[in-house]
Amino acid sequence: MAFSLKKEDKRTLYGDDEFVIEGRRFKLYLNDPNERYILQKEIGLEDYRWFHEQTGNRNWVLYNPKHYKISKDKDLRDILVFNVSEYDGTRLEVPINASSLCGLFSWVELPENFQFTSVFDTSNIVDTSLMFAGTTLPRYFSFGTHFHTHNVKDMHYMFYYTKVECPIHFNFDTKKVENMNHMYAHARIKHACEINLNTASVTNQRYMFHKTRFMEHPLFGDQFEISEHASTESMFLNTTLKGKTAGRELVENGKAMFQEMYS
């Protein structure tokens, strides 16, 4: 005879889940579809859909189906991705209660004037792996003012095979990031850029710039280090600058240029 717990017993063992929207906190058992439906009605988002994260903190999230749809990542885990065919041009918001943006804009074509606005607030995100993999960041792209990364721990493959057509600065707060494996591998970066990442907590920098193509010399901030405590296997394997092979000296020279520019 199969043993199963009643909902009340599950609450006793596991407690309630917390769901946060616009500063309002709700306590409910999110594995119960009835409770999810009641919450949806209460907050007036009956047109939204539920998704259970398989990355990050594995939260239950609500998403706008005109913005996102369910797909698979490279490890065949369910993820949300930008729904290009249904996108109605309204301001994109981070899926409600999300902890992960894994693969969110992977392998899609972004509109030419695509930018993040203030409603795309990533303050609670812990996973941005594969976020822009295989995507072109168009010439007017901007991360906006609310693209926060201070809680992110995983950035592996974040810009894998990304074509960066816009002038851009990768000035992210990465003090908690542990994994930068393949972060810029196979990326093509057209303009001079700043890479000012704090690598103090990073344990994996393997293949970070593998086959990255820099069309102009990148500037590296003082916080960026090739850590002695991290795995750095093939970190600069087949990296190129203006078509010529480049290695670790890319960082040293980039730091000198950064200091000269801002001193």
Side-chain angles (χ1 to χ4, degrees), residues 2 9 33 41 51 74 79 88 94 113 123 141 157 168 170 189 201 219 234 256 261-262:
D9 296 328
K41 290 192 67 174
F51 172 71
K74 64 181 178 61
I79 58 171
D88 56 3
V94 170
N113 60 348
S123 299
F141 174 81
Y157 285 85
I168 204 165
F170 300 101
I189 302 176
S201 299
L219 307 182
S234 302
M261 178 172 288
Y262 291 104

Side-chain angles (χ1 to χ4, degrees), residues 2-259:
F3 176 75
S4 62
L5 288 171
K6 295 180 180 178
K7 182 171 67 177
E8 296 77 13
D9 296 328
K10 289 181 180 179
R11 273 208 163 97
T12 301
L13 283 174
Y14 306 120
D16 284 330
D17 302 303
E18 185 173 72
F19 187 89
V20 181
I21 175 172
E22 296 180 347
R24 299 170 65 193
R25 296 179 182 273
F26 298 87
K27 288 283 190 178
L28 66 160
Y29 186 59
L30 283 168
N31 283 328
D32 185 334
N34 292 323
E35 294 206 22
R36 295 200 303 270
Y37 177 70
I38 292 170
L39 173 63
Q40 230 175 318
K41 290 192 67 174
E42 183 173 345
I43 60 181
L45 295 175
E46 294 175 73
D47 293 335
Y48 279 40
R49 295 176 185 169
W50 286 99
F51 172 71
H52 197 185
E53 295 177 328
Q54 294 184 2
T55 58
N57 295 333
R58 300 177 180 269
N59 292 352
W60 277 100
V61 306
L62 268 176
Y63 69 96
N64 184 341
K66 291 184 178 180
H67 290 173
Y68 306 110
K69 62 182 180 180
I70 297 174
S71 185
K72 299 281 187 183
D73 72 357
K74 64 181 178 61
D75 298 316
L76 300 181
R77 297 173 299 186
D78 287 342
I79 58 171
L80 290 177
V81 298
F82 182 47
N83 192 351
V84 179
S85 61
E86 294 292 328
Y87 181 52
D88 56 3
T90 55
R91 295 195 302 170
L92 277 185
E93 62 185 3
V94 170
I96 300 167
N97 204 47
S99 70
S100 174
L101 301 182
C102 174
L104 195 68
F105 299 101
S106 59
W107 311 103
V108 299
E109 185 172 345
L110 298 177
E112 184 65 30
N113 60 348
F114 185 86
Q115 295 184 351
F116 291 139
T117 65
S118 59
V119 298
F120 197 85
D121 188 344
T122 59
S123 299
N124 297 316
I125 300 302
V126 300
D127 186 343
T128 58
S129 61
L130 292 159
M131 187 174 178
F132 299 101
T135 302
T136 297
L137 300 185
R139 57 180 175 168
Y140 299 117
F141 174 81
S142 169
F143 286 112
T145 58
H146 287 70
F147 190 80
H148 303 296
T149 56
H150 54 271
N151 283 316
V152 176
K153 296 180 180 179
D154 191 349
M155 287 185 169
H156 84 278
Y157 285 85
M158 186 173 178
F159 298 101
Y160 180 66
Y161 272 103
T162 306
K163 292 182 180 178
V164 182
E165 297 293 318
C166 52
I168 204 165
H169 295 325
F170 300 101
N171 292 334
F172 304 143
D173 182 346
T174 56
K175 61 180 178 293
K176 292 184 180 179
V177 176
E178 299 170 0
N179 191 354
M180 292 183 177
N181 177 28
H182 281 83
M183 185 172 175
Y184 296 97
H186 295 272
R188 180 185 183 277
I189 302 176
K190 183 175 182 180
H191 299 278
C193 67
E194 291 181 12
I195 300 177
N196 195 15
L197 308 176
N198 185 331
T199 57
S201 299
V202 177
T203 59
N204 190 345
Q205 291 177 304
R206 296 175 67 249
Y207 294 91
M208 186 173 178
F209 298 103
H210 172 46
K211 289 193 175 181
T212 307
R213 291 180 290 164
F214 292 101
M215 301 298 106
E216 299 292 339
H217 207 300
L219 307 182
F220 284 88
D222 290 337
Q223 298 184 100
F224 188 90
E225 298 288 347
I226 302 174
S227 176
E228 296 179 359
H229 308 290
S231 174
T232 58
E233 177 190 346
S234 302
M235 186 173 175
F236 293 95
L237 180 64
N238 297 324
T239 307
T240 59
L241 170 62
K242 299 180 181 179
K244 297 182 179 180
T245 302
R248 292 184 175 223
E249 74 280 358
L250 197 70
V251 175
E252 297 171 11
N253 296 337
K255 281 191 172 187
M257 294 168 67
F258 185 92
Q259 290 174 352

